[in-house]
Every structure is written in C-alpha cells, then in structure tokens.
Amino acid sequence: MIRQYELVELVKTYDPGADEDSLNRAYVFAMKAHGSQSRASGDPYFSHPLGVAEILARMKLDSASIITGLLHDTVEDTDATLDDIEQLFGPEVSRLVDGVTKLTRIELQSDHTRHAENFRKLVLAMSNDIRVLLVKLADRLHNMQTLHHIENPEKRKRIAAETMEIYAPLAERMGMQRLKDELEDLSFREVNGDAYQSIVTRLEFLRKEGVDRTRRVIDELNTVLKEGGIEAAITGREKAPYSIWRKMQRKNVEFEQLSDIMAFRIVVDSVPHCYQALGLLHAHYSMVPGRFKDYISTPKPNDYRSLHTCLIGPERQRIEVQIRTVEMHDIAEYGVAAHWVYKQDERNVEGRQYRWLRELLDILDHASGPEEFLEHTKLEMFQDQVFCFTPKGDLIALPRGATPVDFAYAVHSQVGDTCVGAKLNGRIVPLSSVLNNGDQVEIVTSKAQTPSPTWERFVVTGRARSRIRRFVRQQQRGQYIELGRAMLEREFRHENYDFTLKGIDGVLKKFKADDADDLFAAVGAGLHGAREVLSSVYPAAKNKRKPEGVVSLLAHRRKKQKSAHAIPITGLIPGMAVHFAGCCHPLPGDRIVGIVTTGKGVTIHTIDCDTLESFAETPERWLDVGWERSDDGNQPHVGRLHVVLSNEPGSLGNLSTIIGKAEGNISNLKITNRSTDFFEMLVDVEVRDVRHLTEIMAALRAAPSINSVERARG
Ligand code: MN
C-alpha cells in the first residue's frame, strides 16, 4: 500500500503545482469514511481507493482525478454524501465522484453482458467528463489486480468477462495501450486459465533462451543507428500473453521464435529522426515486404503514431521494430491521459478543464474514417441516446426523449401493442414519461389493450410510431370500407344501374384491388372516384357522360387538359397516336425522331436519346418528324433534369425557388442516390420549350448548392 506522503510526492514529480492540501485531505477523508470496512483479501477497504489513486498518478493525471480516485467509493459505500464532498473538495471533484458513482450503480444493476456493445456506449454516454471514465478504468484495473482474492469462481469469471468485453475495448479506444494490455491479460488468465498458463510457460522458456540474443540484437541496432548519427533508446519488449494468444488464434499459428514474442522499440527525439532511423535500418537489413506501416503520417483513429517495420535483423533473426518519439511513446502507452500531460502549458485550472474535453473531441474526430470503431468512439453521439434496463438486466438503447411506450416496442411489438402502464425504477409513471440513462423499466401489459392514437404524440422511435400508425390505419380501414360502399351504392343508384358484388368483382383487377373490400376502402379513402368504378363496371355509363380513363383523378384531369390541344408534331400519319418518350422527355425545339411502336402508335424521342440505339436494326420504324410551328406556346411540356445537390439545409428549397422564378413548374421529383454529401435526383419540369429549359438549367448551375445539372437522356 502506497503511503500518504508517497502518493503526494509521486503527483508532484510530474505536476509541481498539484493541490497538495486537497490530496492530503482526500486521503484522510476516504480512510475515515471507509473505516473498518474490509475487502475480500482481508485488507482494509481503503487499500482499494488508494490503489486506484496510485494507478491514476502513474498515468500522470491531474489532482482532481486523483482525489476522485481516493473518494470514488465513498458515496456508494459509506455515509459520506455528495454534499459533503462538494463542501470539502469543491464542485469539480463532486461532479467527477458523482459520475463514477452513477457508473458503479449501473454496473451493479447489469448482470448480463450480452449487450456488451450497448453497455460500452452507456459507459461513454455517462462519462461526460473523460476523467470519470479514466477513474472507472483505474477502478476496474485495481479490482482485476486483486480479483484472485474473490472466492466464488463464477463471480471471478463474470467480472473478467465483463472486463474483456467492456473495459479493455474502452481503454483501447482511448489509445491506452498499456492499460488495455493489462486488463486483457488479467481477464485472459481468469477466463481461459489453461491457455494463459501454457503461453506464460512457453514465454519463460523462450525468455531464458533469448536473453543474450535480445541483448545482442539491441547492441547491434544501437551501433547501426549511432554510425548513422542517431541517438536512440532501444528496448526489447515482450508482447502480452493475450495478444500472443489472439495472434495464434487469428493466424492459426504456433509461436516458436523470439520474433513472435519480442518487439523492439526505438525511441528518438524528433520526427525527422524517426524517418532517418528507419532509413538506416532499411539500408542495413532487408525488410520483410508488406509489414511496413507509417502511422506517423497516418495516425490510427485512437491517435497512435509510430513507424512499424519488420526486418531480417542481426543474426538473420526476423524482428519487429517500432520507431517513435518520446511523446508518441507516452501517447501510445497512456493515450488520452498523456495528451493532457503534454499539452498543459497553462496553469489556469479552468482552461485545463476545457482543454481536456476539446482534446478528447479532437482525438475522437480522428476516428472519422471507415474504421470499425468509428461509431463507438464519438462521445457526443451517445449524448443523443439513453440506455435503459429491462427487469432482467438487458440493456435497451433508445434515442433521447424516448418514453416507456418506445421502450415497450423496442422489447417486442406485442409488448408495445398491449402496454397499459409502466414502472420506472419500481415507481408507476405515465406512459409519456421521458426515460433517463440507467432507468430500469418494467412494462405492464393487458391483453385487452390496443395501441392508442394519442401515443403517437409522444413516442420518438420510428418503430413505435409505425406500429401505432399501422394499427390506427387498420381501424380506419373499416370505416373507409363502409364509406366507399355507401358512395358506390349511391352513385350506381343515381345512374340507374344495379349495384352487385358480381359487377364489382369483374373490375377488381383494373383497380389493382385484392377484393371488394379493398376497392371500397380505396373509394372511401378518395383514391378512386365512385364514378370511375361505375363506368368500368358499365362501360355504357361512360358514353352517357364525359369520356373517362381509369387511373386516378389527378392523371385523369391532366389527360383531359392535354387532349384539348393538338399535338404539335409534323410528319405524322393522320390519326396516329403519339406520345413522348419517358426516357428523354423531348421538348419543342429539340431535334426529334418518331419510332413506330406496335399497338402504341408513335413514340417521340430526342435525336440523342440512348434508347434509340436499340432501334438501330429496324430503320423501317423510324419516322422523320419535327415540331409544328404553333401559335399556342402555352402548352407545357415536361423536361427531365438530372441534378446533383449538396446535402445541406435549404438546397432543395433553393432548387425549387430557382425553377419557380424561371416560370418552370416541378411536376415530379425523384431522389435516385443519396450520400452524406450529395443528393442525386431526377426533376421533371413543365416548360414551354427547350430554350425555356436551357434557361432554367443555366440559372440552376449558378446556384452554389447545386453541383451539376444536365438533361436526363435515356
Ligand atoms: Mn471501486
């Protein structure tokens, strides 16, 4: 057990301005608070917070973190309160202790590590100050170091598995290699004791054999570098048992050679010297192809920087070499913690506080590559989520603002559909209550319950919303069927036709309806007019009134509008049906050709339409056509544009404003592709002629949020 003055001295070695008085007071406070409590080992309980504080001091953390380490279990396990801590040590420390306490409570609540991924996110979400997480990791490390004192083997295994799945990955993501290795090895020993032992034994054997050789390798590397004018500290580092084990599993190999267990590390004083050292080594030894990595120019997402290479080195030994500066080395070992130490040039406490967070975010920003842990690294992201427990301890992740109804639907849609009430941490609450991180949620269900439309007002998850809507729609459908049927009966009666199910059945296909109810519902919902149905069942009814097509009312109206004007095309056989190709949307002014299509009349394409290639073999189908000079210039034609827009607020609005100002009318929009940066879309615009469209395109091209505009061809 480290003594009081030793701890203070240790802190002062790297932080001469440390708050000595508070450190001393925290030491005494925690010792008194834990009093006669003891640990599984029989040691006084206080040895644990003290051990945690020592680990934090070895990471060279600030006084507040170390004081938090000393106090971290007092609120949960003793009579001390957060108020006491705030009074004695100030708001910063009390906030940190509060954070660690909350994490501890959640840890106690969750027996299941099935949802390790969510749990890691939860831990991140709750650590709004990175120091909370560092204290928690140190706490876990100390508990792992003393794990063997716990008698219950199942409990030991559970704690070890949790460490492996949750805390080691968190340490890695924060770039704390040494902490990660230690947590993994301690867990590995517990979870897979046999494998651990066999690796350790083998390591000992190789180590004895290799001592001299390691020495000779280091000496020779040193000489090579010195002759090239580079001063370096070279060490041989034994790889951690768990990482050897992982490598054996991954590559399915045995480890036999020194090179499998040793890595050599060359620490120099500047970045240029890193590359010079690398050059000297590569000039002197052959390098093993495919193993060189430059993490200096491209750091890893957790900010790890170093040069890696593999050489056929001294004595024809294959060796792995890492080259880095002192600073890179410390960052590799201590991760975020080292960053803080390196960049604290001001002594201003408040400035320090913010720099911590800023730097963390900087570091985490580096993860914005397609790296697998990207989504787990961004602290901020998890501030948008809440994590709650089922009564069994399963963890459910939900968006912030989620309610018990969202929770119920996340568990199972059946649970959602039948939920009548909820208990939050044992207390009954309204279904619209907002959930908080760490809440335990129990849903009360009743078979008689059905989703209520009012739930839609407060749920936030898409899943809950769509289930509720679906239910509401089903209920509405009943009403629509009634209504549609009544409308049809009236329409038929009004026109003196018999309304029979047989007649309706005959036209179901035409309306794409599965059965009569389906058609009634569509009529009731206004998708089809009663009149359309009547004229389909009794085509004679059609003749009595205006001629009508089927389809929807909207399309029907358009068609009518168009047929009021003559089609302005010359060169056609009279009476032949004409329509414009949907692939190229020809406009007056475009050079066009007609293609005779059996049963369809003539289709007009632009002369440069890609589709025309497929008619190259059948020249007899081509018709030479042109636009009729018409004084009716108001007839709209549809031009189709392919537009690439920046994916940013307002760009779509911009697009429609520009088109509107230029007197074009957007008749259809379709997004064909969508990425983080861009939207690609097809925009159909009603214009007078090709010149009109060209004007619109020019205006669009001038807009900054629009990346490219061209006419869609084929
Ligand atoms: Mn603890």
Side-chain angles (χ1 to χ4, degrees), residues 530-547:
R531 169 99 220 140
E532 290 173 60
V533 179
L534 171 65
S535 55
S536 298
V537 178
Y538 298 105
K542 203 178 188 175
N543 299 334
K544 275 173 91 182
R545 276 196 183 180
K546 298 157 249 158

Side-chain angles (χ1 to χ4, degrees), residues 45 48 52 72-73 136 139 143:
Y45 192 91
H48 166 65
V52 172
H72 81 271
D73 277 336
K136 196 66 215 166
D139 177 36
N143 284 334

Side-chain angles (χ1 to χ4, degrees), residues 668-686:
N668 203 0
L669 266 184
K670 188 179 165 198
I671 295 175
T672 55
N673 204 353
R674 185 178 190 167
S675 69
T676 29
D677 298 325
F678 299 109
F679 278 112
E680 277 179 50
M681 50 174 50
L682 292 175
V683 185
D684 290 350
V685 190
E686 289 179 353

